[in-house]
Amino acid sequence: MRGPGFGMKIGYGWDSHEFKRGIPLKIGGVDIPHAKGLGGHSDGDVLLHAITDALLGAIAAPDIGTLFSPSDQRWKGADSKVFLSEALRRVKAAGYRIVNVDSTLILDAPKIGPHATVIRERISQLTAVAANCIGIKAKTPEGMGTENAAIAHAVVLLEDAPRGIRRKARKKPRS
Ligand code: MG
């Protein structure tokens, strides 16, 4: 008998990166014109990192920092879609698929509103989840004193994937 929540998993991820002058700003896999970008070992894509950790958390896999150590030269300047792909591969291999993703960005500037549709479409492309199942919200850090950082929170809901999908994902691709 199926009890409540059978075959479903929730995942939560959080990340922050500091703004630095003169580097490109990438959020949700989208290049956003701005005087400052997000520093970090990889491309600093705070939103993809939070979504990646939410996916990994949902299946109780090691977190992004454990799988892709900041001290590993391989990930220096890495495109964060590589991290997301590995989380997606693990979700498939565990026998799950994504129902929906929701997220909130907290940053002082730039305004995310004008870019939200493009970010949603990009994440839809990267995850193969319909754009109307991807929430992109943004707030300014009122009273938090985090004006020089971008913060991202993300939650994902997973459900049992139909049989057949999971078998292919079990093989680990060459890295
Ligand atoms: Mg990060």
Side-chain angles (χ1 to χ4, degrees), residues 8 28 30 36 41 44-45 47 57 76 99 130 137 151-152 164 170 173:
M8 304 202 97
V30 175
K36 298 186 220 172
H41 189 63
D45 194 325
L47 181 55
K76 193 167 166 53
V99 177
K137 311 185 300 301
I151 293 164
R170 266 193 209 121

Side-chain angles (χ1 to χ4, degrees), residues 15-17 46 49:
D15 196 26
S16 76
H17 282 261
V46 69
H49 294 182

